[in-house]
Amino acid sequence: MSRYTVKQVAALTGVSPATLRAWERRYTVVEPERTASKYRLYDDADVARLSRMAELVAGGTPASLAAEEVTRDAPLLAAAGAPGSAAVPSAQGAPPLAPLADRPADDQLVTAAQSLDPVLLDRTLDQAFAAGSFEQVVDGWLMPALTQIGVAWTEGRLDVAGEHFVSGAVHRRLAHSFEAAGGRAGAPVVVVGLPPGSFHQLAVLAFATVLRRQGMDVRYLGPDVPTDSWVRTVTQLRPDAVVVGVPTTLDVDSATEVAAALRGTTSVMLGGAAASAVDTVGASILAGSVVDSARTLSATLHGS
Amino acid sequence: MSRYTVKQVAALTGVSPATLRAWERRYTVVEPERTASKYRLYDDADVARLSRMAELVAGGTPASLAAEEVTRDAPLLAAAGAPGSAAVPSAQGAPPLAPLADRPADDQLVTAAQSLDPVLLDRTLDQAFAAGSFEQVVDGWLMPALTQIGVAWTEGRLDVAGEHFVSGAVHRRLAHSFEAAGGRAGAPVVVVGLPPGSFHQLAVLAFATVLRRQGMDVRYLGPDVPTDSWVRTVTQLRPDAVVVGVPTTLDVDSATEVAAALRGTTSVMLGGAAASAVDTVGASILAGSVVDSARTLSATLHGS
DNA sequence: CGGGGTTAGACAAAGTCTAGACAAAGCCTA
DNA sequence: TAGGCTTTGTCTAGACTTTGTCTAACCCCG
């Protein structure tokens, strides 16, 4: 974990030192540590928040509202800004996610899907995403609930239209969070997407969002990216890492093909429920939940 | 959850701050929170209402009536969707949308796609969506720009990854607007989606968003909805209208199949670039641009 | 001593507020 | 068709708020 002086933070965020101090004084948007002689010492979480605030302000949001917005997610960014100490292959050292308190009943999303009722669906999602941090909700509620949707569909209890109906709404929620997490110019670049023929993008979008919230510069390509497009993209962007999603066993072959084609170009990683079934030709597996995977990748990149 | 100042709302709705204040003063169409110093703080619901009012006014409704419509607590009387085919009258008397002033250059979206640069892409979209009302931007900039993306792709100037990259970002913008438009319990129910095998959902999502902004209770099913799911959905929801998108000529056959399967259940409409190529088995064609189509449908359902 | 950091206060530009006025456009009546 | 009333977007004037920047005086480190 690095520490930065005002001048460094000014360079990183593009905000003048005087303005940084004014933001701190007026909105308490950060409270950096101090040296014995009162010099400010910002950490990564502070920089992430100030970058986000700078971005909002540049986009036309008044500083006071931007500060409020940034401060709202405070506890989570604090956790994300302190990734594990060393290059440990798994995300040890990161605090475990607290369990969710008032999340909706496990089958409420299925009920909403069956009813095609947007009011019930919205209420369910509102309730879920209000129950904790984005990371807590994704791992603790969203992914299990989506699994239930899949089960209900295979058992014939849920029509495709109902599945589409909730998938679309969940996609919109995730999209909003992804956008809200903002870009991070200068941060490690990570390309994220799905192999050709793979369309289930909810988990990988959630993953991309968590990565963004941890300060990565995520380039999200979405579903069904042809193998040669992966190669061209990596050649063009030279990212610090590439993550290929493997949501189902049906995607194993195409993911293997993509991984093989990318071998040697950069750090290639495979994530998702079926990732472990891929023959890892020079690629690594991101094991565990969505948030675990993101933390593992984050730790790896910060260690290198 | 987000809050906005007058200036931001003006940018989001395409209505000048002075007019926004006049609407509030004269019609109490919104009553935004105030800061301690009396500054207005609009929330998402306020923005949705004002956007809708702006759209109505742009369509020729006098401001006073538009305000009444937007303010009305009592839900609209559900119009009886008479099944059967008919030539739908095109959007009556609605004046053409005002041209956009400061929209980005025509090829800027293509440039952003080629570069895979999220900053440039965000800036482009920010600039575009700040140039006028949602409807103005959709018809006047977004659809033409997406056409250019398609052209660049067919001409080999743009990789699939670049196309995915912008499509995803545009989808996220539209998703945000769709959510911000809010639900309309009690209003005429319209089911919107794409036929089986059809995946290009940007135009139909934009269409669904405009419909919502006009006060419909839209149930958006998304892409690739199987024919029997369409039938089950319509049987279950008994909507006032169903709109099947036909984005390309490749989708004509499946759209025809869906329209045939739905014949007689409710008012079935076909919209999109290739809609006119469908053999209209009891369905009507929504001609013209995205906004034109939405206005036509809206006029039909309101019976005026 | 010089370069940088710190606080506190001050300042100007930009943003917003209210209340009222005004002109173009629409509508009604004769 | 003309006159008069209403509607509605815009503008003005003066006061207040927000916000980035600047200054003065002091502190810290090599």
Side-chain angles (χ1 to χ4, degrees):
Chain A
M1 116 147 59
S2 310
R3 294 172 190 279
Y4 313 89
T5 65
V6 246
K7 195 172 189 179
Q8 292 178 289
V9 174
L12 287 170
T13 60
V15 178
S16 78
T19 304
L20 287 175
R21 283 189 277 257
W23 285 357
E24 179 185 336
R25 169 169 24 106
R26 291 173 177 151
Y27 319 116
T28 331
V29 66
V30 289
E31 285 179 298
E33 311 261 329
R34 300 295 188 113
T35 67
S37 49
K38 301 260 184 191
Y39 279 31
R40 271 163 253 257
L41 281 184
Y42 300 84
D43 62 21
D44 290 304
D46 293 331
V47 175
R49 281 168 75 175
L50 291 168
S51 299
R52 169 119 187 74
M53 169 136 176
E55 202 171 314
L56 287 170
V57 169
T61 306
S64 52
L65 291 183
E68 200 177 294
E69 169 103 19
V70 169
T71 306
R72 209 170 45 202
D73 293 332
L76 120 89
L77 282 175
S85 50
V88 190
S90 77
Q92 299 164 1
L97 293 174
L100 286 173
D102 286 332
R103 62 179 184 183
D106 277 357
D107 60 349
Q108 193 169 321
L109 196 66
V110 173
T111 306
Q114 289 165 335
S115 69
L116 295 171
D117 177 354
V119 175
L120 176 58
L121 178 55
D122 268 355
R123 204 168 50 220
T124 304
L125 293 175
D126 282 344
Q127 198 179 337
F129 279 94
S133 74
F134 182 81
E135 285 73 11
Q136 289 172 331
V137 174
V138 164
D139 267 15
W141 182 82
L142 181 63
M143 299 319 293
L146 289 177
T147 303
Q148 287 212 337
I149 292 284
V151 170
W153 174 73
T154 55
E155 290 180 355
R157 288 184 287 123
L158 180 62
D159 189 70
V160 179
E163 183 274 332
H164 277 41
F165 184 68
V166 294
S167 294
V170 169
H171 187 281
R172 292 191 287 276
R173 293 281 171 146
L174 293 177
H176 183 258
S177 298
F178 182 78
E179 292 297 329
R184 299 269 187 280
V189 174
V190 182
V191 170
V192 178
L194 289 175
S198 181
F199 290 90
H200 292 84
Q201 62 174 320
L202 292 182
V204 77
L205 180 54
F207 172 78
T209 304
V210 174
L211 276 190
R212 261 201 170 180
R213 288 165 65 93
Q214 289 180 339
M216 308 287 120
D217 183 354
V218 179
R219 312 291 171 103
Y220 181 67
L221 301 182
D224 189 30
V225 179
T227 302
D228 53 350
S229 272
W230 278 102
V231 174
R232 273 195 293 273
T233 302
V234 169
T235 307
Q236 178 184 340
L237 290 180
R238 302 230 150 265
D240 297 281
V242 175
V243 179
V244 182
V246 196
T248 76
T249 51
L250 298 176
D251 308 309
V252 168
D253 287 348
S254 55
T256 306
E257 186 187 311
V258 171
L262 291 176
R263 171 154 51 170
T265 56
T266 182
S267 177
V268 179
M269 306 201 169
L270 300 158
S276 56
V278 176
D279 181 16
T280 73
V281 277
S284 354
I285 304 293
L286 293 170
S289 72
V290 167
V291 176
D292 288 342
S293 299
R295 284 182 169 170
T296 302
L297 173 56
S298 182
T300 305
L301 288 185
H302 277 96
S304 55
Chain B
M1 323 305 178
S2 272
R3 294 171 344 180
Y4 313 89
T5 61
V6 252
K7 194 179 188 182
Q8 292 180 285
V9 174
L12 289 170
T13 60
V15 178
S16 78
T19 304
L20 288 174
R21 283 189 277 255
W23 285 357
E24 178 185 338
R25 171 168 22 107
R26 292 172 178 152
Y27 319 116
T28 330
V29 65
V30 289
E31 283 180 298
E33 309 265 324
R34 300 296 188 112
T35 67
S37 49
K38 302 272 184 191
Y39 279 30
R40 288 167 177 78
L41 280 185
Y42 301 83
D43 62 20
D44 288 306
D46 293 331
V47 174
R49 279 185 147 198
L50 291 167
S51 297
R52 204 173 134 218
M53 170 139 175
E55 163 61 6
L56 288 170
V57 169
T61 308
S64 52
L65 292 183
E68 199 177 300
E69 162 102 20
V70 168
T71 306
R72 181 162 42 210
D73 285 340
L76 282 163
L77 194 64
S85 80
V88 177
S90 62
Q92 88 287 9
L97 295 171
L100 287 171
D102 287 331
R103 62 180 185 183
D106 277 356
D107 60 347
Q108 194 169 320
L109 195 66
V110 173
T111 306
Q114 288 165 335
S115 69
L116 295 171
D117 177 354
V119 175
L120 176 58
L121 178 54
D122 269 355
R123 204 168 49 221
T124 304
L125 293 175
D126 281 345
Q127 196 180 339
F129 279 93
S133 74
F134 182 82
E135 285 75 14
Q136 288 174 330
V137 174
V138 164
D139 267 15
W141 182 83
L142 182 63
M143 290 303 151
L146 289 177
T147 303
Q148 288 213 337
I149 293 285
V151 169
W153 175 72
T154 55
E155 290 180 354
R157 288 183 288 123
L158 181 61
D159 190 70
V160 179
E163 184 273 334
H164 277 41
F165 183 68
V166 293
S167 295
V170 169
H171 187 280
R172 292 191 288 275
R173 292 281 170 148
L174 293 176
H176 182 258
S177 299
F178 182 79
E179 291 297 328
R184 304 262 185 273
V189 174
V190 182
V191 171
V192 179
L194 289 174
S198 181
F199 291 90
H200 293 83
Q201 62 174 321
L202 292 182
V204 77
L205 180 53
F207 171 78
T209 304
V210 175
L211 275 190
R212 262 201 168 180
R213 287 164 60 93
Q214 289 178 340
M216 307 289 117
D217 184 355
V218 178
R219 313 291 171 105
Y220 180 68
L221 300 183
D224 189 30
V225 179
T227 301
D228 54 349
S229 273
W230 278 103
V231 174
R232 274 195 293 273
T233 302
V234 169
T235 306
Q236 179 184 341
L237 291 180
R238 303 229 150 266
D240 298 281
V242 175
V243 180
V244 181
V246 196
T248 76
T249 51
L250 298 176
D251 307 308
V252 168
D253 287 348
S254 54
T256 306
E257 186 187 312
V258 171
L262 292 176
R263 170 153 52 170
T265 57
T266 182
S267 178
V268 179
M269 306 201 169
L270 298 158
S276 56
V278 176
D279 180 17
T280 73
V281 277
S284 329
I285 304 293
L286 292 171
S289 72
V290 167
V291 176
D292 288 342
S293 300
R295 285 180 171 172
T296 302
L297 173 56
S298 183
T300 305
L301 287 186
H302 282 104
S304 49

